[in-house]
Amino acid sequence: MKQIAERCERYFRTMATVAKVVNSSLEPSSVLAAVAEQTALALDAKGCTLRLLDRSGKRLLPSAAWGLSKEYFRKGSVDLAKSEVDREVLAGKTIYIPNAQNDPRFQYGEAAKKEGIVSVLVVPLMVEDRAIGSMRIYSGSEHVYDDLEKDFLLAVADLSALAIENARLHQALKTDYEMLAS
């Protein structure tokens, strides 16, 4: 029971930090980088990434990462036509992959092996009822994520999606204002 209380306290403190970060800036890249770091540290994970849908809605583009090599993070966009996992996540599901190195649903299994990634938990970034991207947490050994970890990751993903949407709305207002002022 003490261990669960300690985890809950760690997750609560991380959520408070993430909320402060989200509230402190409208610059998505710095906010998402901080979110990725705080989330990975809270879950004692190897790394964390956030990917956002491109304008076409056909690819997930790298947006922020922590704990992974630049080579792995920049391996390319995720083509939704080739990624069953990401199609399911963007439909609103949480997906757990016990071993990304040999799971045929994982688009970059060989890269995961080279990076030392084993288990992956993927959740959607949702704004109202539409997905705008995904958040992944990576472990270096097989790890079964419990409900507390899943709920925490979903809560962070919801805050992240809110931050992204706020930044987009701010940019749109700024652009409209500049067009009216000129």
Side-chain angles (χ1 to χ4, degrees):
M1 195 65 165
K2 183 180 176 188
Q3 186 182 31
I4 291 174
E6 289 171 355
R7 286 174 54 207
C8 287
E9 181 181 350
R10 185 173 70 233
Y11 296 163
F12 174 78
R13 292 188 188 286
T14 300
M15 288 298 294
T17 301
V18 167
K20 284 180 186 175
V21 168
V22 166
N23 197 34
S24 69
S25 174
L26 289 169
E27 179 54 47
S29 60
S30 61
V31 170
L32 296 181
V35 166
E37 177 182 5
Q38 291 298 313
T39 304
L41 290 172
L43 289 169
D44 196 25
K46 177 176 181 57
C48 179
T49 60
L50 290 104
R51 292 180 174 269
L52 299 178
L53 270 175
D54 69 357
R55 291 186 191 273
S56 73
K58 295 181 181 179
R59 294 179 310 154
L60 285 166
L61 305 176
S63 299
W66 186 86
L68 304 173
S69 68
K70 288 182 181 178
E71 181 181 295
Y72 183 81
F73 183 60
R74 295 185 178 149
K75 68 189 176 304
S77 61
V78 173
D79 183 353
L80 292 177
K82 296 178 183 175
S83 178
E84 176 186 338
V85 168
D86 289 295
R87 287 192 309 272
E88 288 184 36
V89 167
L90 293 176
K93 294 182 180 176
T94 296
I95 302 293
Y96 165 66
I97 301 167
N99 191 330
Q101 297 177 9
N102 60 23
D103 191 316
R105 300 174 302 161
F106 198 77
Q107 187 174 350
Y108 293 106
E110 198 55 45
K113 189 175 196 173
K114 185 177 177 186
E115 187 71 15
I117 292 168
V118 182
S119 296
V120 182
L121 183 63
V122 192
V123 298
L125 296 172
M126 302 291 288
V127 174
E128 295 174 359
D129 288 335
R130 75 182 161 87
I132 62 167
S134 68
M135 184 175 202
R136 293 179 181 210
I137 199 79
Y138 303 89
S139 68
S141 59
E142 192 157 325
H143 179 83
V144 177
Y145 294 92
D146 62 27
D147 288 341
L148 187 58
E149 291 168 312
K150 289 175 186 176
D151 289 345
F152 170 73
L153 192 59
L154 283 165
V156 173
D158 285 345
L159 268 177
S160 300
L162 181 63
I164 294 160
E165 192 65 12
N166 284 344
R168 287 178 177 168
L169 291 171
H170 175 75
Q171 186 59 46
L173 282 172
K174 185 177 171 185
T175 301
D176 289 350
Y177 176 77
E178 288 170 358
M179 287 174 51
L180 288 171
S182 54

